[in-house]
Amino acid sequence: MTTDILPSYLDQSDAVRARFERIRQREVILEVRALGKCYRSAQGETEALRGIDFTVRRREFVCVIGPSGCGKSTLIRILAGLDNHTSGEVLLDGKPIKGPGQDRGMVFQGYSLFPWLTVKRNVMFGPEMNGRSKDEAERDALLWLDLVGLEKFADAYPHQLSGGMRQRVAIARALVNQPRILLMDEPFGALDAQTRAKMQSHLIEIWKNIDVTVLFITHDLDEAIYLADRILVLKAHPGEVQEVIEVPVPRPHTLGQFNSPEFRATKARLEALIHPESEGVPEDEQKVHPHLIRLTDVTDNVE
Amino acid sequence: MNTIAKWLASDADPAFRKRTLFGIGSFLLPLLVWSMVSYVPWVWHPKMEITNPGGVDFLQVGMLVDKYMFRDQVADMEKQHLAVPQGTPANPIYLPAPDQVAKALYNGIFNSPKDTDVPSMPASLWHSIQLIFWGFLISSIIGVPLGILSGTYKSFGRLTGPFIEFFRYLPAPAFGALAVAILGIYDGPKIAIIVIGTLFQQVLIIANTTRKLETTLIEAARTLGTRSFKLLTRVVVPGIMPDLYRDQRILLGWAWTYLIVAELIGTSTGITWFITQQARYQHFDNVYAGIITIGILGFGTDLVLAFLGRKLFPWDRTQDRS
Ligand SMILES: Nc1ncnc2c1ncn2[C@@H]1O[C@H](COP(=O)(O)OP(=O)(O)OP(=O)(O)O)[C@@H](O)[C@H]1O
Ligand SMILES: [Mg+2]
């Protein structure tokens, strides 16, 4: 690889700096203050999150990354209202959140479409639950299916779709409710690299065209840099914010930028934060050295 | 028929062919064993059917005697220089040959006597089917909602669970006398026994099925703005429907088992009464015909239900495997 000196990830070109300046002018959508979460179970207490502070502004794209078990899912589930927090507060448009609501859409990593409903009925589910008439719901659903390019599959069942298509339906299903913020917990984690890249640019297209703010969890550094305006880096045990990085790569992001100096500088910084060389590694991250006995012929070597 | 055409088509799915072949085989094999025992004279046949009593005065034509006794008599007659008895190897009266049972089955269904006051096989069977229907219906009306509620709401499950677990272990037939005392001697107590036998298992099984519903589906529905009761009607119930349907098919099989017990309570009726009555007169071909009819009816119902399941839940691919 090249040995040239990378610029600092903190250096921003004028255009990028101006863009962040504009973002800071926008109103705050989500405000998280001193958020903490303790799980109490038979094995004792686990402090999953401690003192999380951050704000998200309207139409910002924020990614959350961190090592496995650092509380990313816990955080997003609290924001979605699926779990309770034990300290601090979460404000959406200045009001504390209480339970799930249609102002927050969620896309899960796994399979979350209703298998008994067709694609169209899946997307209609939200509007119907929120008291819209069937006709309205259907009209909205078809509009959204068109937007994610699946109008042809309106009458198919989820099991007839590929993994990428299912996640597109899940996105449409969340967005049809017109949420203030879209919460995504490793939505593309189960997809192959190619589908994943397509889904990423597709998501960016959607985000550009509608008034929605995105909070996106991933453990893929490239994905985070490609998608995000800002990246929230968490550390584990307990889950705390390590750094909030403003991505210096100029928008619009393209696949060609993966090799740009800004991109590599940001990635180097993220790697340093997530895989520190010296620090004690948490237990579940430790390298596994299994105690193995030879179970095959001595001469039968694979390497 | 469609299935036959599918079977004959040269491009028939080999998996389908194999399944059909094995399905037929699983019935042909026992039938083959039964036929061997019945028609091959040197396989088993522990008795002799007398065709000519010879000099033995206590033997009569058509009588069944043990082989060793027959041999003793032959030796005895030879010693006395009298005519030896003759006979053919035969099976005991309780093992009729397949053709006799087939004939009994045919006669039982199509030529049953109409003039006697003894209920015919179809009439007995019809009575049994009605008992099953009402028993299973009443059990399901109570059991299915209870099961779904216990599976959905933890506190409800904790409230009902222990008592149902306890009651489940009480054998339904033990309630026979009580049921007769309360509900009289006719169909009431019989239906009650079927209900007692099925209901408690039903609640537990369905509660368990409900608990196994993917939590992500419920959470997804909640983030889409679904609340309390709608969560139950729009997510839980449709979500568990295919598994619930499968549970009901298994439980219906259990209801048949309890039917036999139930029909012996109070005044004996239905197919059980038919079978015990025929056994008393040693019409074992009719007994087998009766038992086989229950089998055909139960298995047939299940096949139809499995087929319906595939039509009802096209989105549930596990239905194809059952
Ligand atoms: N229901 C629970 N009860 C007890 N502890 C829990 C529970 N859920 C999560 N935890 C703990 O909280 C911590 C954070 O879990 P979480 O699932 O939020 O991590 P994550 O960052 O999403 O990990 P991953 O990247 O592997 O998805 C972990 O240490 C986990 O053991
Ligand atoms: Mg997670």
Side-chain angles (χ1 to χ4, degrees):
Chain A
M1 276 297 285
T2 46
T3 50
D4 56 350
I5 308 296
L6 288 173
S8 164
Y9 71 98
L10 293 171
D11 291 346
Q12 295 174 348
S13 67
D14 291 339
V16 171
R17 193 172 307 117
R19 199 182 119 71
F20 279 114
E21 207 45 60
R22 281 202 305 279
I23 290 176
R24 275 191 284 273
Q25 303 300 314
R26 299 197 202 126
E27 69 269 28
V28 171
I29 288 247
L30 180 75
E31 188 166 4
V32 177
R33 279 201 222 126
L35 181 75
K37 169 76 182 176
C38 251
Y39 282 111
R40 283 185 195 86
S41 61
Q43 293 90 319
E45 282 194 6
T46 321
E47 194 173 12
L49 294 173
R50 178 197 285 173
I52 306 282
D53 275 301
F54 68 95
T55 52
V56 179
R57 289 172 189 274
R58 192 173 66 81
R59 293 200 71 188
E60 216 183 346
F61 201 126
V62 176
C63 280
V64 181
I65 66 168
S68 179
C70 68
K72 303 185 291 294
S73 296
T74 307
L75 173 65
I76 209 160
R77 288 174 56 82
I78 291 172
L79 299 184
L82 295 170
D83 276 345
N84 295 319
H85 49 278
T86 39
S87 61
E89 56 183 342
V90 181
L91 305 174
L92 186 80
D93 287 325
K95 290 184 286 291
I97 56 158
K98 265 193 244 88
Q102 59 164 327
D103 48 4
R104 282 149 291 144
M106 175 112 169
V107 178
F108 297 80
Q109 171 175 10
Y111 184 61
S112 72
L113 296 180
F114 305 121
W116 61 92
L117 296 179
T118 60
V119 165
K120 186 174 76 186
R121 299 299 305 267
N122 258 287
V123 181
M124 284 166 66
F125 191 90
E128 281 184 58
M129 283 303 122
N130 295 304
R132 311 281 299 279
S133 79
K134 212 158 193 167
D135 286 344
E136 278 177 309
E138 181 164 4
R139 208 176 46 232
D140 288 0
L142 288 175
L143 188 81
W144 276 98
L145 281 177
D146 193 29
L147 221 101
V148 296
L150 285 174
E151 68 280 36
K152 271 196 242 126
F153 293 88
D155 295 316
Y157 283 98
H159 78 259
Q160 297 165 313
L161 305 184
S162 71
M165 285 151 100
R166 286 182 205 178
Q167 285 308 61
R168 260 145 74 195
V169 179
I171 293 171
R173 185 179 66 171
L175 287 178
V176 72
N177 271 350
Q178 296 180 312
R180 296 289 280 160
I181 186 164
L182 182 64
L183 306 167
M184 306 179 90
D185 188 356
E186 301 201 34
F188 308 148
L191 305 179
D192 64 88
Q194 229 175 347
T195 316
R196 197 178 176 131
K198 264 192 228 148
M199 293 292 292
Q200 288 164 356
S201 48
H202 195 76
L203 178 61
I204 291 286
E205 280 311 306
I206 292 174
W207 168 69
K208 273 195 217 157
N209 289 307
I210 61 162
D211 178 8
V212 72
T213 310
V214 183
L215 191 82
F216 187 105
I217 288 184
T218 177
H219 61 249
D220 181 332
L221 307 186
D222 290 329
E223 184 169 67
I225 303 169
Y226 177 67
L227 293 174
D229 288 321
R230 285 188 302 147
I231 302 174
L232 193 70
V233 187
L234 296 186
K235 69 171 248 317
H237 308 287
E240 283 176 309
V241 180
Q242 222 172 344
E243 188 171 353
V244 182
I245 294 179
E246 295 184 339
V247 177
V249 184
R251 284 201 183 264
H253 291 173
T254 61
L255 294 175
Q257 288 170 325
F258 275 57
N259 251 322
S260 70
E262 297 95 341
F263 197 101
R264 284 191 290 133
T266 314
K267 191 166 176 186
R269 175 61 184 165
L270 289 178
E271 259 162 7
L273 285 173
I274 290 179
H275 308 291
E277 300 292 317
S278 52
E279 261 183 61
V281 196
E283 228 169 82
D284 53 349
E285 291 280 279
Q286 271 167 15
K287 215 171 170 187
V288 186
H289 287 296
H291 173 71
L292 271 187
I293 45 167
R294 184 84 171 186
L295 292 174
T296 171
D297 196 281
V298 254
T299 57
D300 188 17
N301 285 320
V302 283
E303 271 181 356
Chain B
M1 225 189 89
N2 187 19
T3 324
I4 295 168
K6 213 159 133 194
W7 167 253
L8 290 175
S10 56
D11 59 341
D13 175 13
F16 173 78
R17 271 184 185 228
K18 200 165 164 186
R19 206 171 71 179
T20 319
L21 211 63
F22 276 64
I24 294 171
S26 77
F27 281 96
L28 281 184
L29 270 174
L31 188 64
L32 191 74
V33 173
W34 185 17
S35 301
M36 289 247 294
V37 172
S38 300
Y39 300 130
V40 184
W42 62 84
V43 180
W44 202 37
H45 288 75
K47 302 259 181 187
M48 290 301 272
E49 186 178 348
I50 307 298
T51 52
N52 177 3
V56 192
D57 18 284
F58 68 87
L59 291 181
Q60 283 166 4
V61 174
M63 204 174 175
L64 283 181
V65 294
D66 286 336
K67 258 187 178 153
Y68 70 89
M69 193 170 148
F70 183 77
R71 250 181 266 120
D72 286 352
Q73 291 305 322
V74 171
D76 211 25
M77 289 303 109
E78 275 171 349
K79 222 184 276 164
Q80 296 178 36
H81 301 291
L82 287 172
V84 292
Q86 282 164 338
T88 51
N91 278 329
I93 181 98
Y94 59 77
L95 187 73
D99 67 301
Q100 289 171 296
V101 174
K103 236 176 276 162
L105 195 59
Y106 181 84
N107 287 335
I109 296 170
F110 299 107
N111 310 327
S112 51
K114 303 214 162 45
D115 41 334
T116 55
D117 49 39
V118 180
S120 64
M121 189 164 90
S124 308
L125 206 58
W126 178 236
H127 190 253
S128 298
I129 292 172
Q130 283 173 309
L131 284 188
I132 288 268
F133 176 80
W134 289 112
F136 195 67
L137 185 72
I138 293 170
S139 173
S140 296
I141 287 174
I142 308 167
V144 172
L146 268 184
I148 294 176
L149 287 175
S150 328
T152 311
Y153 302 112
K154 257 190 204 149
S155 42
F156 191 82
R158 295 222 177 92
L159 187 67
T160 54
F163 177 74
I164 288 170
E165 282 281 359
F166 162 75
F167 214 97
R168 178 166 81 106
Y169 282 97
L170 309 183
F175 291 89
L178 195 62
V180 170
I182 299 171
L183 296 165
I185 55 166
Y186 299 107
D187 288 349
K190 299 175 201 298
I191 293 173
I193 295 299
I194 297 176
V195 172
I196 292 172
T198 0
L199 176 63
F200 299 96
Q201 317 279 356
Q202 197 167 29
V203 176
L204 290 179
I205 287 181
I206 289 173
N208 215 27
T209 296
T210 310
R211 257 178 242 123
K212 272 195 263 173
L213 181 69
E214 204 71 53
T215 34
T216 317
L217 294 183
I218 295 179
E219 286 178 348
R222 289 177 63 205
T223 61
L224 290 170
T226 323
R227 296 203 189 288
S228 53
F229 191 66
K230 281 234 166 109
L231 214 50
L232 194 69
T233 55
R234 295 293 299 268
V235 184
V236 176
V237 172
I240 63 166
M241 205 43 102
D243 287 328
L244 181 86
Y245 184 80
R246 216 191 320 264
D247 289 345
Q248 289 289 78
R249 271 170 57 196
I250 294 170
L251 286 160
L252 187 60
W254 288 2
W256 274 98
T257 316
Y258 282 104
L259 170 79
I260 304 300
V261 179
E263 285 188 332
L264 291 172
I265 287 166
T267 50
S268 184
T269 54
I271 192 72
T272 315
W273 184 83
F274 177 82
I275 290 172
T276 44
Q277 202 64 11
Q278 296 299 323
R280 191 166 302 155
Y281 297 131
Q282 303 222 318
H283 294 159
F284 284 102
D285 46 353
N286 285 339
V287 171
Y288 283 90
I291 293 173
I292 288 174
T293 315
I294 298 182
I296 293 173
L297 209 66
F299 184 62
T301 320
D302 196 62
L303 277 185
V304 171
L305 290 179
F307 174 79
L308 276 182
R310 282 194 283 275
K311 297 277 155 219
L312 280 172
F313 311 110
W315 51 272
D316 181 55
R317 279 171 304 164
T318 56
Q319 293 284 337
D320 296 342
R321 274 187 269 123
S322 53

